[in-house]
Coordinates of all heavy atoms in Angstrom, one line a residue:
M3 N 0.9 -1.2 0.0 CA 0.0 0.0 0.0 C 0.9 1.2 0.0 O 1.8 1.3 0.8 CB -0.9 0.0 1.2 CG -1.9 1.1 1.3 SD -3.1 1.0 0.0 CE -4.4 0.2 0.8
P4 N 0.6 2.2 -0.8 CA 1.4 3.4 -0.9 C 1.2 4.4 0.3 O 0.3 4.3 1.0 CB 0.9 4.1 -2.2 CG -0.5 3.7 -2.3 CD -0.6 2.3 -1.7
G5 N 2.2 5.3 0.4 CA 2.0 6.4 1.3 C 2.6 6.2 2.7 O 2.8 5.1 3.2
P6 N 2.8 7.3 3.4 CA 3.4 7.3 4.7 C 2.4 7.0 5.8 O 1.2 6.9 5.5 CB 3.9 8.7 4.9 CG 3.0 9.5 4.0 CD 2.6 8.6 2.9
T7 N 2.8 6.8 7.0 CA 1.9 6.5 8.1 C 1.7 7.7 9.0 O 0.9 7.7 9.9 CB 2.4 5.3 9.0 OG1 3.7 5.7 9.5 CG2 2.5 4.0 8.2
S8 N 2.4 8.8 8.6 CA 2.2 10.1 9.3 C 2.6 11.2 8.3 O 3.3 10.9 7.3 CB 3.0 10.2 10.6 OG 4.3 10.3 10.3
T9 N 2.1 12.4 8.5 CA 2.3 13.5 7.6 C 2.3 14.8 8.5 O 1.8 14.7 9.6 CB 1.3 13.5 6.5 OG1 1.7 14.5 5.5 CG2 -0.1 13.9 6.9
A10 N 2.7 15.8 7.9 CA 2.6 17.1 8.6 C 1.1 17.4 8.8 O 0.3 17.1 8.0 CB 3.2 18.2 7.7
A11 N 0.8 18.0 10.0 CA -0.6 18.3 10.3 C -1.2 19.4 9.4 O -2.3 19.4 9.1 CB -0.7 18.6 11.8
A12 N -0.3 20.3 9.0 CA -0.8 21.4 8.2 C -1.0 20.9 6.7 O -0.1 20.2 6.2 CB 0.2 22.6 8.2
A13 N -2.0 21.4 6.1 CA -2.3 21.0 4.7 C -1.5 22.0 3.8 O -1.5 23.2 4.0 CB -3.8 21.0 4.4
P14 N -1.0 21.4 2.7 CA -0.4 22.3 1.7 C -1.5 23.3 1.1 O -2.7 22.9 1.2 CB 0.1 21.4 0.6 CG 0.3 20.1 1.3 CD -0.8 20.0 2.3
Q15 N -1.1 24.4 0.6 CA -2.0 25.4 0.1 C -3.0 24.9 -0.9 O -4.2 25.2 -0.8 CB -1.3 26.6 -0.4 CG -2.1 27.8 -0.6 CD -1.3 29.0 -1.0 OE1 -0.2 28.9 -1.5 NE2 -1.9 30.2 -0.8
D16 N -2.6 24.1 -1.9 CA -3.5 23.6 -2.9 C -4.5 22.6 -2.3 O -5.6 22.5 -2.6 CB -2.8 23.0 -4.1 CG -1.8 21.9 -3.7 OD1 -1.4 21.8 -2.6 OD2 -1.5 21.1 -4.6
A17 N -4.0 21.8 -1.3 CA -4.9 20.8 -0.6 C -6.0 21.6 0.3 O -7.1 21.1 0.3 CB -4.1 19.9 0.3
A18 N -5.6 22.7 0.9 CA -6.5 23.5 1.7 C -7.5 24.1 0.8 O -8.7 24.2 1.1 CB -5.7 24.5 2.5
A19 N -7.1 24.6 -0.4 CA -8.0 25.2 -1.4 C -9.1 24.2 -1.9 O -10.3 24.5 -2.0 CB -7.3 25.8 -2.5
L20 N -8.6 23.0 -2.2 CA -9.5 21.9 -2.7 C -10.5 21.6 -1.5 O -11.7 21.4 -1.8 CB -8.8 20.7 -3.1 CG -9.6 19.5 -3.6 CD1 -10.6 19.9 -4.6 CD2 -8.6 18.4 -4.1
A21 N -10.0 21.5 -0.3 CA -10.9 21.2 0.8 C -11.9 22.3 1.0 O -13.1 22.0 1.4 CB -10.1 21.0 2.1
E22 N -11.5 23.5 0.8 CA -12.5 24.7 0.9 C -13.6 24.6 -0.1 O -14.8 24.8 0.2 CB -11.7 26.0 0.8 CG -12.6 27.2 0.8 CD -13.4 27.4 2.1 OE1 -12.9 27.0 3.2 OE2 -14.5 27.9 2.1
R23 N -13.2 24.2 -1.3 CA -14.3 24.0 -2.4 C -15.2 22.9 -2.0 O -16.4 23.0 -2.1 CB -13.6 23.7 -3.7 CG -12.9 24.9 -4.3 CD -12.5 24.8 -5.8 NE -11.7 23.6 -6.1 CZ -10.4 23.5 -6.1 NH1 -9.7 24.6 -5.7 NH2 -9.8 22.4 -6.4
Y24 N -14.6 21.8 -1.5 CA -15.4 20.6 -1.0 C -16.4 21.1 0.1 O -17.6 20.7 0.1 CB -14.4 19.6 -0.5 CG -15.0 18.5 0.3 CD1 -15.8 17.5 -0.2 CD2 -14.7 18.4 1.7 CE1 -16.4 16.5 0.6 CE2 -15.2 17.5 2.5 CZ -16.1 16.5 2.0 OH -16.6 15.5 2.8
R25 N -15.9 21.8 1.1 CA -16.8 22.2 2.2 C -17.8 23.2 1.7 O -19.0 23.1 2.1 CB -15.9 22.8 3.3 CG -15.1 21.8 4.1 CD -14.5 22.5 5.4 NE -13.8 23.7 5.1 CZ -12.5 23.9 4.8 NH1 -11.8 22.8 4.6 NH2 -12.0 25.1 4.6
A26 N -17.5 24.1 0.8 CA -18.4 25.0 0.3 C -19.6 24.3 -0.5 O -20.7 24.8 -0.5 CB -17.7 26.0 -0.6
A27 N -19.3 23.1 -1.0 CA -20.3 22.4 -1.7 C -21.1 21.5 -0.8 O -21.8 20.6 -1.2 CB -19.6 21.5 -2.8
G28 N -20.9 21.6 0.5 CA -21.6 20.9 1.5 C -20.9 19.7 2.1 O -21.5 18.9 2.8
G29 N -19.6 19.6 1.9 CA -18.8 18.5 2.4 C -18.5 18.6 3.9 O -18.9 19.6 4.6
D30 N -17.9 17.6 4.4 CA -17.6 17.4 5.9 C -16.8 18.6 6.4 O -15.7 18.9 5.9 CB -16.9 16.1 6.1 CG -16.5 15.8 7.5 OD1 -16.6 16.7 8.4 OD2 -16.2 14.7 7.8
P31 N -17.3 19.4 7.3 CA -16.6 20.6 7.8 C -15.3 20.2 8.5 O -14.5 21.1 8.7 CB -17.6 21.2 8.8 CG -18.6 20.2 9.1 CD -18.6 19.2 8.0
D32 N -15.1 19.0 8.9 CA -13.9 18.6 9.6 C -12.7 18.4 8.6 O -11.5 18.4 9.0 CB -14.0 17.3 10.4 CG -14.8 17.5 11.7 OD1 -14.7 18.6 12.3 OD2 -15.5 16.5 12.1
V33 N -13.0 18.3 7.3 CA -11.9 18.1 6.3 C -11.3 19.4 6.0 O -12.0 20.4 5.6 CB -12.5 17.4 5.0 CG1 -11.5 17.4 3.9 CG2 -13.0 16.0 5.4
Y34 N -10.0 19.5 6.2 CA -9.3 20.8 6.0 C -8.2 20.6 4.9 O -7.5 21.6 4.5 CB -8.7 21.4 7.2 CG -7.6 20.6 7.9 CD1 -6.3 20.9 7.5 CD2 -7.8 19.6 8.8 CE1 -5.2 20.2 8.1 CE2 -6.8 18.9 9.4 CZ -5.5 19.2 9.0 OH -4.5 18.5 9.6
G35 N -8.0 19.4 4.4 CA -7.0 19.2 3.3 C -7.4 18.0 2.4 O -7.8 17.0 3.0
I36 N -7.4 18.2 1.1 CA -7.6 17.1 0.2 C -6.5 17.2 -0.9 O -6.4 18.3 -1.6 CB -9.0 17.1 -0.5 CG1 -10.1 17.1 0.6 CG2 -9.1 16.0 -1.5 CD1 -11.5 17.3 0.0
Q37 N -5.8 16.2 -1.1 CA -4.8 16.1 -2.2 C -5.1 14.9 -3.0 O -5.5 13.9 -2.5 CB -3.4 16.0 -1.6 CG -2.8 17.2 -0.9 CD -1.5 16.8 -0.2 OE1 -1.5 16.5 0.9 NE2 -0.4 16.9 -1.0
V38 N -4.8 15.0 -4.3 CA -4.8 13.9 -5.2 C -3.5 13.8 -5.8 O -3.0 14.8 -6.5 CB -5.9 14.0 -6.2 CG1 -6.0 12.8 -7.1 CG2 -7.3 14.2 -5.6
E39 N -2.8 12.7 -5.6 CA -1.5 12.5 -6.1 C -1.4 11.3 -7.0 O -2.3 10.4 -7.0 CB -0.5 12.2 -4.9 CG -0.6 13.2 -3.8 CD 0.2 12.7 -2.6 OE1 0.5 11.5 -2.4 OE2 0.5 13.6 -1.7
D40 N -0.4 11.2 -7.8 CA -0.2 10.0 -8.7 C 0.3 8.9 -7.7 O 1.3 9.0 -7.0 CB 0.9 10.2 -9.7 CG 0.4 11.2 -10.8 OD1 -0.8 11.2 -11.0 OD2 1.2 11.8 -11.5
G41 N -0.4 7.7 -7.8 CA 0.0 6.6 -7.0 C 0.7 5.5 -7.9 O 0.9 5.8 -9.1
P42 N 0.9 4.4 -7.4 CA 1.6 3.3 -8.2 C 0.7 2.9 -9.4 O -0.6 2.9 -9.3 CB 1.7 2.2 -7.2 CG 1.2 2.6 -5.9 CD 0.7 4.0 -6.0
E43 N 1.3 2.6 -10.5 CA 0.6 2.2 -11.7 C -0.4 3.1 -12.2 O -1.4 2.8 -12.8 CB 0.0 0.8 -11.4 CG 1.0 -0.3 -11.0 CD 0.3 -1.6 -10.6 OE1 -0.8 -1.8 -11.0 OE2 1.0 -2.3 -9.8
G44 N -0.2 4.4 -11.9 CA -1.2 5.4 -12.4 C -2.5 5.5 -11.6 O -3.4 6.2 -12.0
I45 N -2.6 4.8 -10.5 CA -3.8 4.8 -9.7 C -3.7 6.0 -8.7 O -2.7 6.2 -8.0 CB -3.9 3.5 -8.8 CG1 -3.7 2.2 -9.6 CG2 -5.1 3.5 -7.9 CD1 -4.8 2.0 -10.6
P46 N -4.7 6.9 -8.8 CA -4.7 8.1 -7.9 C -4.7 7.7 -6.4 O -5.3 6.7 -6.0 CB -6.0 8.8 -8.2 CG -6.5 8.2 -9.5 CD -5.9 6.8 -9.6
R47 N -4.0 8.5 -5.7 CA -3.9 8.4 -4.2 C -4.6 9.7 -3.7 O -4.1 10.8 -4.0 CB -2.5 8.3 -3.7 CG -2.4 8.3 -2.2 CD -0.9 8.0 -1.8 NE -0.8 8.1 -0.3 CZ -0.2 9.1 0.3 NH1 0.4 10.1 -0.4 NH2 -0.1 9.2 1.6
V48 N -5.6 9.6 -2.9 CA -6.4 10.7 -2.3 C -5.9 10.8 -0.9 O -5.9 9.8 -0.1 CB -7.9 10.5 -2.4 CG1 -8.6 11.6 -1.7 CG2 -8.4 10.3 -3.8
V49 N -5.4 11.9 -0.5 CA -5.0 12.2 0.9 C -5.9 13.2 1.5 O -6.1 14.3 1.0 CB -3.5 12.7 0.9 CG1 -3.1 13.0 2.4 CG2 -2.6 11.7 0.3
I50 N -6.5 12.8 2.6 CA -7.5 13.7 3.4 C -6.9 14.0 4.7 O -6.4 13.1 5.4 CB -8.8 12.9 3.6 CG1 -9.5 12.6 2.2 CG2 -9.8 13.8 4.4 CD1 -10.7 11.8 2.3
R51 N -7.0 15.3 5.1 CA -6.6 15.7 6.4 C -7.9 16.2 7.1 O -8.7 16.9 6.5 CB -5.6 16.9 6.3 CG -4.2 16.4 5.9 CD -3.3 17.6 5.8 NE -1.9 17.2 5.6 CZ -1.4 16.9 4.4 NH1 -2.2 16.9 3.3 NH2 -0.1 16.6 4.3
T52 N -8.1 15.6 8.3 CA -9.3 15.9 9.0 C -9.0 16.4 10.4 O -8.0 16.0 11.0 CB -10.3 14.7 9.0 OG1 -11.5 15.0 9.7 CG2 -9.6 13.5 9.7
R53 N -9.9 17.2 11.0 CA -9.8 17.6 12.4 C -10.4 16.6 13.3 O -10.2 16.7 14.5 CB -10.5 19.0 12.5 CG -9.8 20.1 11.9 CD -10.6 21.5 12.1 NE -10.0 22.5 11.3 CZ -10.3 22.8 10.0 NH1 -11.3 22.1 9.4 NH2 -9.7 23.7 9.3
N54 N -11.1 15.6 12.8 CA -11.7 14.6 13.6 C -10.8 13.4 13.7 O -10.5 12.7 12.8 CB -13.0 14.1 12.9 CG -13.8 13.2 13.7 OD1 -13.3 12.6 14.7 ND2 -15.1 13.0 13.3
A55 N -10.3 13.2 14.9 CA -9.4 12.1 15.2 C -10.0 10.7 15.4 O -9.4 9.7 15.5 CB -8.5 12.4 16.4
D56 N -11.4 10.7 15.3 CA -12.1 9.4 15.5 C -11.8 8.5 14.3 O -12.0 8.9 13.2 CB -13.6 9.7 15.6 CG -14.4 8.6 16.1 OD1 -14.0 7.4 15.9 OD2 -15.5 8.8 16.6
D57 N -11.4 7.3 14.6 CA -11.1 6.3 13.6 C -12.3 5.3 13.3 O -12.1 4.3 12.7 CB -9.8 5.5 13.9 CG -9.9 4.7 15.1 OD1 -11.0 4.7 15.8 OD2 -8.9 4.0 15.4
E58 N -13.5 5.7 13.7 CA -14.7 4.9 13.5 C -14.9 4.6 12.0 O -14.8 5.6 11.2 CB -15.9 5.5 14.1 CG -17.1 4.7 14.0 CD -18.3 5.5 14.6 OE1 -18.2 6.2 15.6 OE2 -19.4 5.2 14.0
D59 N -15.1 3.4 11.7 CA -15.3 3.0 10.3 C -16.5 3.7 9.6 O -16.3 4.1 8.4 CB -15.5 1.5 10.2 CG -15.4 1.0 8.7 OD1 -14.3 1.3 8.1 OD2 -16.4 0.4 8.2
A60 N -17.6 3.9 10.3 CA -18.7 4.6 9.7 C -18.4 6.0 9.3 O -18.8 6.5 8.2 CB -19.9 4.6 10.7
I61 N -17.6 6.7 10.1 CA -17.2 8.1 9.8 C -16.3 8.1 8.5 O -16.5 8.8 7.6 CB -16.4 8.7 11.0 CG1 -17.4 9.0 12.1 CG2 -15.8 10.1 10.5 CD1 -16.7 9.4 13.4
F62 N -15.4 7.1 8.5 CA -14.5 7.0 7.3 C -15.3 6.7 6.1 O -15.1 7.3 5.0 CB -13.5 5.9 7.5 CG -12.7 5.5 6.3 CD1 -11.8 6.4 5.7 CD2 -13.0 4.3 5.7 CE1 -11.2 6.1 4.5 CE2 -12.3 4.0 4.5 CZ -11.4 4.9 3.9
R63 N -16.2 5.8 6.1 CA -17.0 5.4 4.9 C -17.8 6.6 4.4 O -17.8 6.9 3.2 CB -18.0 4.3 5.3 CG -17.3 3.0 5.7 CD -16.9 2.2 4.5 NE -16.2 1.0 4.9 CZ -15.3 0.4 4.2 NH1 -15.1 0.8 2.9 NH2 -14.7 -0.6 4.6
R64 N -18.4 7.4 5.3 CA -19.2 8.6 4.9 C -18.2 9.6 4.2 O -18.5 10.2 3.2 CB -19.9 9.3 6.1 CG -21.2 8.6 6.4 CD -22.0 9.4 7.4 NE -21.3 9.9 8.6 CZ -21.2 9.2 9.7 NH1 -21.8 8.0 9.8 NH2 -20.5 9.6 10.7
Q65 N -17.1 9.8 4.9 CA -16.1 10.8 4.4 C -15.5 10.4 3.1 O -15.4 11.2 2.1 CB -15.0 10.9 5.4 CG -14.2 12.2 5.4 CD -13.3 12.3 6.7 OE1 -12.5 11.4 6.8 NE2 -13.5 13.3 7.5
N66 N -15.2 9.1 2.9 CA -14.7 8.6 1.7 C -15.7 8.8 0.6 O -15.3 9.3 -0.5 CB -14.4 7.1 1.9 CG -14.0 6.4 0.6 OD1 -13.4 7.0 -0.3 ND2 -14.4 5.1 0.5
T67 N -16.9 8.4 0.8 CA -17.9 8.6 -0.3 C -18.1 10.1 -0.6 O -18.2 10.4 -1.8 CB -19.3 8.0 0.2 OG1 -19.1 6.6 0.5 CG2 -20.4 8.2 -0.8
S68 N -18.2 10.9 0.4 CA -18.4 12.3 0.2 C -17.3 13.0 -0.6 O -17.5 13.7 -1.6 CB -18.6 13.0 1.5 OG -18.7 14.4 1.4
V69 N -16.0 12.7 -0.2 CA -14.9 13.3 -0.9 C -14.7 12.8 -2.3 O -14.6 13.5 -3.2 CB -13.6 13.0 -0.1 CG1 -12.3 13.4 -0.9 CG2 -13.6 13.9 1.2
T70 N -14.8 11.5 -2.5 CA -14.7 10.9 -3.8 C -15.8 11.3 -4.8 O -15.6 11.6 -6.0 CB -14.5 9.4 -3.8 OG1 -15.6 8.8 -3.2 CG2 -13.2 9.0 -3.1
T71 N -17.0 11.5 -4.3 CA -18.1 12.0 -5.1 C -17.8 13.4 -5.5 O -18.0 13.8 -6.7 CB -19.4 11.9 -4.3 OG1 -19.7 10.5 -4.0 CG2 -20.6 12.5 -5.1
H72 N -17.4 14.2 -4.6 CA -17.0 15.6 -4.9 C -15.9 15.6 -6.0 O -16.0 16.4 -6.9 CB -16.6 16.4 -3.7 CG -16.1 17.8 -4.0 ND1 -17.0 18.8 -4.2 CD2 -14.9 18.3 -4.2 CE1 -16.3 19.9 -4.5 NE2 -15.0 19.6 -4.5
L73 N -14.9 14.8 -5.8 CA -13.8 14.8 -6.7 C -14.2 14.4 -8.1 O -13.7 15.0 -9.1 CB -12.7 13.9 -6.2 CG -11.9 14.4 -5.0 CD1 -11.0 13.3 -4.5 CD2 -11.2 15.7 -5.3
T74 N -15.1 13.5 -8.2 CA -15.6 13.1 -9.6 C -16.6 14.0 -10.2 O -16.6 14.3 -11.4 CB -16.1 11.6 -9.6 OG1 -17.2 11.5 -8.6 CG2 -15.0 10.6 -9.2
T75 N -17.6 14.5 -9.4 CA -18.6 15.3 -9.9 C -18.3 16.8 -10.1 O -18.8 17.4 -11.0 CB -20.0 15.1 -9.1 OG1 -19.7 15.6 -7.8 CG2 -20.4 13.7 -9.1
K76 N -17.5 17.3 -9.1 CA -17.2 18.7 -9.1 C -15.8 19.1 -9.6 O -15.6 20.2 -10.1 CB -17.4 19.3 -7.7 CG -18.7 19.1 -7.1 CD -19.8 19.9 -7.7 CE -21.1 19.8 -6.9 NZ -22.2 20.3 -7.6
E77 N -14.9 18.2 -9.5 CA -13.5 18.4 -9.9 C -13.1 17.7 -11.1 O -12.0 17.9 -11.6 CB -12.6 18.1 -8.7 CG -12.8 18.8 -7.4 CD -12.5 20.3 -7.4 OE1 -11.6 20.7 -8.2 OE2 -13.2 21.0 -6.7
G78 N -14.0 16.8 -11.7 CA -13.7 16.2 -12.9 C -12.7 15.1 -12.9 O -12.2 14.7 -14.0
L79 N -12.4 14.5 -11.8 CA -11.5 13.4 -11.7 C -12.1 12.1 -12.0 O -13.4 11.9 -11.9 CB -10.9 13.3 -10.3 CG -10.0 14.5 -9.9 CD1 -9.6 14.3 -8.4 CD2 -8.9 14.7 -10.8
S80 N -11.3 11.1 -12.5 CA -11.8 9.8 -12.8 C -11.2 8.8 -11.9 O -9.9 8.8 -11.7 CB -11.6 9.5 -14.3 OG -11.9 8.1 -14.5
F81 N -11.9 7.8 -11.4 CA -11.4 6.7 -10.6 C -11.7 5.4 -11.3 O -12.0 4.4 -10.6 CB -12.0 6.8 -9.2 CG -11.6 8.0 -8.4 CD1 -12.5 8.8 -7.8 CD2 -10.2 8.4 -8.3 CE1 -12.1 9.9 -7.0 CE2 -9.9 9.5 -7.6 CZ -10.8 10.2 -6.9
K82 N -11.6 5.4 -12.6 CA -12.0 4.2 -13.4 C -11.1 3.0 -12.9 O -11.6 1.9 -12.9 CB -11.7 4.4 -14.9 CG -12.8 5.2 -15.6 CD -12.5 5.3 -17.0 CE -13.2 6.4 -17.7 NZ -12.9 6.5 -19.1
K83 N -9.9 3.3 -12.6 CA -9.0 2.2 -12.2 C -8.9 2.0 -10.7 O -8.1 1.3 -10.1 CB -7.5 2.4 -12.7 CG -7.4 2.4 -14.2 CD -6.0 2.3 -14.7 CE -5.3 3.6 -14.8 NZ -3.9 3.6 -15.3
G84 N -9.8 2.8 -10.0 CA -9.9 2.8 -8.6 C -9.0 3.9 -8.0 O -8.6 4.8 -8.7
Y85 N -8.7 3.8 -6.7 CA -7.9 4.8 -6.0 C -7.4 4.2 -4.7 O -7.9 3.2 -4.2 CB -8.7 6.1 -5.8 CG -10.0 5.9 -5.0 CD1 -10.0 6.1 -3.6 CD2 -11.1 5.5 -5.6 CE1 -11.1 5.9 -2.9 CE2 -12.3 5.3 -4.9 CZ -12.3 5.5 -3.5 OH -13.4 5.3 -2.8
F86 N -6.4 4.9 -4.2 CA -6.0 4.6 -2.8 C -6.4 5.8 -2.0 O -6.5 6.9 -2.5 CB -4.4 4.5 -2.7 CG -3.9 3.4 -3.5 CD1 -3.2 3.7 -4.7 CD2 -3.9 2.1 -3.1 CE1 -2.6 2.7 -5.5 CE2 -3.4 1.1 -3.9 CZ -2.7 1.4 -5.0
I87 N -6.7 5.6 -0.7 CA -7.1 6.8 0.1 C -6.5 6.6 1.5 O -6.4 5.6 2.1 CB -8.7 6.9 0.2 CG1 -9.1 8.2 0.9 CG2 -9.3 5.7 0.9 CD1 -10.5 8.6 0.7
D88 N -5.9 7.7 1.9 CA -5.3 7.8 3.2 C -5.9 9.0 3.9 O -6.1 10.1 3.4 CB -3.8 8.1 3.1 CG -3.0 7.0 2.6 OD1 -3.5 5.8 2.6 OD2 -1.8 7.2 2.2
V89 N -6.3 8.8 5.2 CA -6.9 9.8 6.0 C -6.0 10.1 7.2 O -5.7 9.1 8.0 CB -8.3 9.5 6.5 CG1 -8.9 10.6 7.3 CG2 -9.2 9.2 5.3
F90 N -5.6 11.3 7.4 CA -4.7 11.7 8.5 C -5.5 12.6 9.5 O -6.2 13.5 9.1 CB -3.5 12.4 8.0 CG -2.6 11.6 7.2 CD1 -2.7 11.5 5.8 CD2 -1.6 10.8 7.7 CE1 -1.9 10.7 5.0 CE2 -0.8 9.9 7.0 CZ -0.9 9.9 5.6
G91 N -5.3 12.3 10.8 CA -6.0 13.1 11.8 C -5.3 14.4 12.1 O -4.3 14.8 11.4
P92 N -5.8 15.1 13.0 CA -5.3 16.5 13.3 C -3.8 16.6 13.7 O -3.2 17.6 13.6 CB -6.2 17.0 14.4 CG -6.9 15.8 15.0 CD -6.9 14.8 13.9
D93 N -3.3 15.5 14.3 CA -1.9 15.5 14.7 C -1.0 14.9 13.6 O 0.2 14.7 13.8 CB -1.7 14.7 16.0 CG -2.0 13.2 15.9 OD1 -2.5 12.8 14.8 OD2 -1.8 12.5 16.9
G94 N -1.5 14.6 12.4 CA -0.8 14.0 11.3 C -0.6 12.5 11.3 O 0.0 11.9 10.4
T95 N -1.3 11.8 12.2 CA -1.2 10.4 12.3 C -2.2 9.7 11.3 O -3.4 10.2 11.2 CB -1.6 9.9 13.7 OG1 -0.6 10.5 14.6 CG2 -1.5 8.4 13.9
L96 N -1.8 8.7 10.7 CA -2.7 8.0 9.8 C -3.8 7.3 10.6 O -3.6 6.6 11.5 CB -1.9 6.9 9.0 CG -2.7 6.0 8.0 CD1 -3.2 6.8 6.8 CD2 -1.9 4.8 7.6
I97 N -5.1 7.6 10.2 CA -6.2 7.0 10.9 C -7.0 6.0 10.0 O -7.7 5.2 10.5 CB -7.2 8.0 11.6 CG1 -7.7 9.0 10.6 CG2 -6.5 8.7 12.7 CD1 -8.7 10.0 11.2
H98 N -6.8 6.1 8.7 CA -7.5 5.2 7.8 C -6.6 5.1 6.5 O -6.1 6.0 6.0 CB -8.9 5.6 7.4 CG -9.9 5.3 8.4 ND1 -10.4 4.1 8.6 CD2 -10.5 6.2 9.2 CE1 -11.3 4.2 9.6 NE2 -11.4 5.4 10.0
R99 N -6.6 3.9 5.9 CA -6.0 3.6 4.6 C -6.8 2.6 3.9 O -7.2 1.6 4.5 CB -4.6 3.1 4.9 CG -3.9 2.7 3.6 CD -2.4 2.5 3.8 NE -1.8 3.8 3.7 CZ -0.6 4.1 4.1 NH1 0.2 3.1 4.7 NH2 -0.1 5.3 4.0
M100 N -7.1 2.8 2.6 CA -7.9 1.9 1.9 C -7.4 1.8 0.4 O -7.0 2.8 -0.2 CB -9.4 2.3 1.9 CG -10.3 1.3 1.2 SD -12.0 1.7 1.4 CE -12.2 2.9 0.1
D101 N -7.4 0.6 -0.1 CA -7.1 0.3 -1.5 C -8.5 0.1 -2.1 O -9.1 -0.9 -1.9 CB -6.2 -0.9 -1.6 CG -5.9 -1.3 -3.0 OD1 -6.6 -0.9 -4.0 OD2 -4.9 -2.1 -3.2
A102 N -8.9 1.0 -3.0 CA -10.3 0.9 -3.6 C -10.2 0.6 -5.1 O -10.9 1.1 -5.9 CB -11.0 2.2 -3.4
R103 N -9.2 -0.3 -5.4 CA -9.2 -0.7 -6.8 C -10.2 -1.8 -7.1 O -10.5 -2.6 -6.2 CB -7.8 -1.3 -7.2 CG -6.7 -0.2 -7.2 CD -5.4 -0.7 -7.4 NE -4.9 -1.5 -6.2 CZ -3.7 -2.1 -6.2 NH1 -2.9 -2.1 -7.2 NH2 -3.4 -2.7 -5.0
P104 N -10.7 -1.9 -8.3 CA -11.8 -2.9 -8.6 C -11.2 -4.3 -8.6 O -10.0 -4.5 -8.7 CB -12.3 -2.5 -10.0 CG -11.4 -1.5 -10.5 CD -10.5 -1.0 -9.4

């Protein structure tokens, strides 16, 4: 699985801007950073930074669906080959990781 197990707590400027557009469209107010990077084999890696440190699966599932729906419908991204997703909490610790390839 790609990606680190911790990251800086602050979101890069472009990740913060994408998260702002996501929140403005009705997304989770706890999300303060969203990045989409090139992952292995051309599979996108979505990195989410959240203020919510709760690692409950139901929260992750809602957040995953909400963010990826926004990315495809509002930002024009395609996840035809699937995606990887990493969610980092407010202290930069990895709280969720998923391989969503078909």
Side-chain angles (χ1 to χ4, degrees):
M3 185 64 96
T7 57
S8 67
T9 190
Q15 192 170 23
D16 58 338
L20 178 52
E22 177 60 34
R23 292 192 303 271
Y24 162 74
R25 289 190 311 271
D30 183 342
D32 286 328
V33 172
Y34 68 90
I36 302 171
Q37 288 172 265
V38 181
E39 308 170 343
D40 289 333
E43 301 172 25
I45 308 294
R47 177 175 173 251
V48 179
V49 178
I50 298 172
R51 287 178 172 82
T52 180
R53 290 181 188 89
N54 186 344
D56 193 335
D57 65 356
E58 181 182 328
D59 191 59
I61 293 171
F62 167 69
R63 298 275 176 205
R64 279 192 309 271
Q65 205 170 57
N66 173 32
T67 299
S68 177
V69 168
T70 56
T71 298
H72 176 81
L73 291 173
T74 57
T75 62
K76 303 290 186 193
E77 302 291 331
L79 297 176
S80 171
F81 296 129
K82 285 183 197 176
K83 295 195 271 182
Y85 58 94
F86 299 105
I87 190 163
D88 291 342
V89 180
F90 294 93
D93 66 354
T95 301
L96 180 69
I97 56 176
H98 282 285
R99 174 168 278 164
M100 185 175 81
D101 179 342
R103 290 178 287 180

